Amino acid sequence: MITRETLKSLPANVQAPPYDIDGIKPGIVHFGVGNFFRAHEAFYVEQILEHAPDWAIVGVGLTGSDRSKKKAEEFKAQDCLYSLTETAPSGKSTVRVMGALRDYLLAPADPEAVLKHLVDPAIRIVSMTITEGGYNINETTGAFDLENAAVKADLKNPEKPSTVFGYVVEALRRRWDAGGKAFTVMSCDNLRHNGNVARKAFLGYAKARDPELAKWIEENATFPNGMVDRITPTVSAEIAKKLNAASGLDDDLPLVAEDFHQWVLEDQFADGRPPLEKAGVQMVGDVTDWEYVKIRMLNAGHVMLCFPGILVGYENVDDAIEDSELLGNLKNYLNKDVIPTLKAPSGMTLEGYRDSVISRFSNKAMSDQTLRIASDGCSKVQVFWTETVRRAIEDKRDLSRIAFGIASYLEMLRGRDEKGGTYESSEPTYGDAEWKLAKADDFESSLKLPAFDGWRDLDTSELDQKVIVLRKIIREKGVKAAIPA
């Protein structure tokens, strides 16, 4: 493992934190300490702590599973230090030890310890990466889902919360009672207008608990929208061993990410913020155009590549992108379906962004798993594809590539590739009823899945028929036979 002692004698090729670990203090509490957070938000904060030492991070895990407990033990044992290896498509790498995360709390083990941090006036930002589907928004009504069992339990016993909504609102209630300031609630999840989604979720919970409290939160807290981008794959035991061999460290929590990183963030903070622009964050008044480009090109392209890639049998993204037919379909989708209906932010060309996306997908050092990219496909289809699908239907554009993507997604849910291999796809928002539709042998039933609710109000008859035809071709002749010309 690596600890404070390790910092005294790091290998020559490893960068140490450029500040005194004991001289920095928390200003941020973050829910959901996954790989992406550690390589993105923590990476940016890491770079400003030398000059802004009051903005370190306390991490919080919300679940009490054995896996979560093991993760908490590893963070504690390593003084919350970990190594980050950044690798370019060329293969060139740099390694640094990260110290921005100064504590890690497992909420079920000590809820009051979490609340104590959240109420502390030194904490001015509460951020989160709780996944696209983690905001408990009812997909049918578009409102916060008050029927969720965990939410109902928190509302019955709000001073002892278990959900992120319960923790944040209870902390804000205590600040209100004490005459203190609200903090900024900052979503770093990969969904469009993530700040607006967070606002809807937390205010939805607060209104159900106490309308007057909700009014205070609405008037005093802020929920900035942000566009986040960095490919950060899962680190298996084998990958961890390779990372440690290359760095010379003995790190139980090594991390690898591409050298590309981007964060575009609306400058709306309730009680100050760290100087993130010094670390390369683009502080803007409106993040919308940046969001659309990233979501509709990179994120949408990622799943457009991985859904059929899984069916062909590719485990990694860089292998799938080397398949000329899958690459050709991806390029056609971006060139013909997305770029003509997309506005580029000032200073960006969509063609240049397209080329960077394809280059990033080809980065072999990432070994990014196709199944990881395809996980929570229901939420990703809704967020990443809806605008493109709606524009294609409304403008009577060619639907063949979109239909191929949908057909690939539905066939992928069946859990068997065309070589006979089996796998498990992760759909956290699907219950028994949805899985029954997804696993049905016919080609029509699964079109009722909530993944497609974003365009269900339009005339989808032509699209549905194309999907059915392409599913038959995939099942009878294979994925390649179904790729549109």
Side-chain angles (χ1 to χ4, degrees):
M1 67 182 67
I2 58 176
T3 64
R4 279 180 169 83
E5 286 298 310
T6 309
L7 298 179
K8 297 176 182 178
S9 56
L10 289 173
N13 63 317
V14 179
Q15 301 173 32
Y19 50 82
D20 177 11
I21 286 286
D22 296 316
I24 60 175
K25 299 176 181 178
I28 301 171
V29 169
H30 183 86
F31 288 90
V33 184
N35 287 0
F36 177 76
F37 156 76
R38 294 198 289 142
H40 193 266
E41 180 185 332
F43 167 82
Y44 283 101
V45 170
E46 178 78 11
Q47 297 176 74
I48 57 93
L49 286 173
E50 184 177 9
H51 306 291
D54 295 337
W55 286 104
I57 306 168
V58 173
V60 178
L62 282 168
T63 64
S65 66
D66 289 343
R67 180 183 176 187
S68 297
K69 291 176 183 176
K70 181 176 184 293
K71 182 177 177 180
E73 290 168 0
E74 289 173 334
F75 274 116
K76 290 288 189 183
Q78 293 205 160
D79 295 328
C80 291
L81 300 169
Y82 59 92
S83 62
L84 170 64
T85 298
E86 301 171 83
T87 304
S90 66
K92 182 179 179 181
S93 294
T94 60
V95 186
R96 70 177 77 201
V97 172
M98 305 274 284
L101 187 67
R102 285 296 80 233
D103 201 359
Y104 184 82
L105 306 177
L106 202 58
D110 194 347
E112 274 300 317
V114 176
L115 287 166
K116 183 177 179 180
H117 275 295
L118 290 170
V119 175
D120 185 346
I123 299 300
R124 291 179 278 169
I125 296 174
V126 175
S127 58
M128 62 209 62
T129 40
I130 54 177
T131 77
E132 294 91 340
Y135 289 83
N136 193 44
I137 302 297
N138 185 294
E139 294 168 354
T140 302
T141 65
F144 184 72
D145 185 5
L146 294 171
E147 295 305 310
N148 177 283
V151 167
K152 290 172 79 171
D154 273 9
L155 288 171
K156 286 182 180 178
N157 195 8
E159 294 184 6
K160 294 183 178 180
S162 67
T163 68
V164 65
F165 315 108
Y167 275 105
V168 168
V169 172
E170 170 61 12
L172 287 167
R173 195 274 302 172
R174 294 185 185 188
R175 285 179 174 235
W176 181 40
D177 284 354
K181 293 183 178 180
F183 44 65
T184 297
V185 178
M186 185 172 71
S187 170
C188 295
D189 277 300
N190 187 28
L191 67 163
R192 186 164 61 89
H193 290 357
N194 53 14
N196 293 354
V197 175
R199 177 191 294 273
K200 179 185 291 186
F202 287 97
L203 289 180
Y205 177 91
K207 287 173 183 175
R209 177 178 171 177
D210 180 347
E212 287 300 311
L213 170 60
K215 182 180 178 183
W216 181 83
I217 294 172
E218 189 168 15
E219 292 174 351
N220 292 276
T222 56
F223 301 80
N225 291 308
M227 188 278 280
V228 297
D229 192 5
R230 189 169 214 184
I231 296 172
T232 312
T234 300
V235 176
S236 64
E238 181 182 358
I239 292 173
K241 187 176 180 180
K242 289 179 180 178
L243 291 172
N244 283 335
S247 69
L249 296 168
D250 182 20
D251 184 3
D252 291 336
L253 296 162
L255 195 61
V256 64
E258 62 177 337
D259 61 337
F260 179 95
H261 52 84
Q262 188 175 28
W263 194 3
V264 185
L265 184 59
E266 291 177 353
D267 201 351
Q268 299 175 11
F269 289 79
D271 187 21
R273 65 168 176 81
L276 292 169
E277 65 276 11
K278 292 183 178 179
V281 178
Q282 296 165 269
M283 306 302 300
V284 300
D286 186 353
V287 78
T288 302
D289 289 344
W290 298 96
E291 285 181 331
Y292 273 126
V293 170
K294 192 251 181 168
I295 286 170
R296 291 185 60 198
M297 293 187 72
L298 182 132
N299 297 130
H302 231 165
V303 292
M304 179 61 78
L305 176 70
C306 290
F307 291 155
I310 289 167
L311 291 172
V312 174
Y314 294 123
E315 294 184 4
N316 294 326
V317 176
D318 57 285
D319 294 325
I321 200 77
E322 286 188 346
D323 187 308
S324 61
E325 291 171 275
L326 295 184
L327 173 59
N329 179 68
L330 173 60
K331 286 182 175 178
N332 282 336
Y333 171 73
L334 294 174
N335 290 335
K336 298 179 180 181
D337 300 322
V338 181
I339 288 177
T341 62
L342 190 58
K343 176 186 175 184
S346 177
M348 173 189 284
T349 68
L350 297 178
E351 292 75 17
Y353 188 82
R354 173 203 60 208
D355 294 343
S356 76
V357 164
I358 292 169
S359 173
R360 292 168 64 193
F361 289 175
S362 69
N363 190 332
K364 286 192 170 297
M366 293 302 95
S367 294
D368 206 358
Q369 299 84 8
T370 51
L371 275 172
R372 185 187 80 84
I373 299 301
S375 67
D376 197 11
C378 175
S379 297
K380 290 176 179 177
V381 166
Q382 288 180 317
V383 174
F384 305 155
W385 283 2
T386 291
E387 184 66 22
T388 301
V389 176
R390 291 189 69 88
R391 292 292 293 272
I393 294 172
E394 290 170 341
D395 297 345
K396 301 189 184 306
R397 303 175 68 88
D398 181 8
L399 298 171
S400 58
R401 289 166 296 277
I402 290 168
F404 172 73
I406 294 171
S408 297
Y409 168 63
L410 294 176
E411 288 299 304
M412 184 272 299
L413 290 177
R414 291 167 60 80
R416 180 179 294 273
D417 65 37
E418 59 187 31
K419 297 176 182 177
T422 59
Y423 55 85
E424 289 188 16
S425 53
S426 172
E427 287 290 349
T429 65
Y430 283 179
D432 291 342
E434 287 79 17
W435 276 116
K436 184 176 181 180
L437 292 173
K439 299 286 188 179
D441 287 330
D442 67 90
F443 301 103
E444 296 87 5
S445 295
S446 52
L447 289 170
K448 299 173 185 175
L449 286 169
F452 316 123
D453 286 350
W455 54 87
R456 206 174 296 283
D457 58 312
L458 303 177
D459 179 2
T460 63
S461 55
E462 181 184 353
L463 177 60
D464 292 348
Q465 285 305 307
K466 285 182 178 292
V467 170
I468 290 168
V469 169
L470 290 172
R471 289 191 72 184
K472 290 178 180 178
I473 294 173
I474 290 173
R475 213 175 291 182
E476 293 172 3
K477 300 180 181 179
V479 173
K480 301 292 186 69
I483 293 177

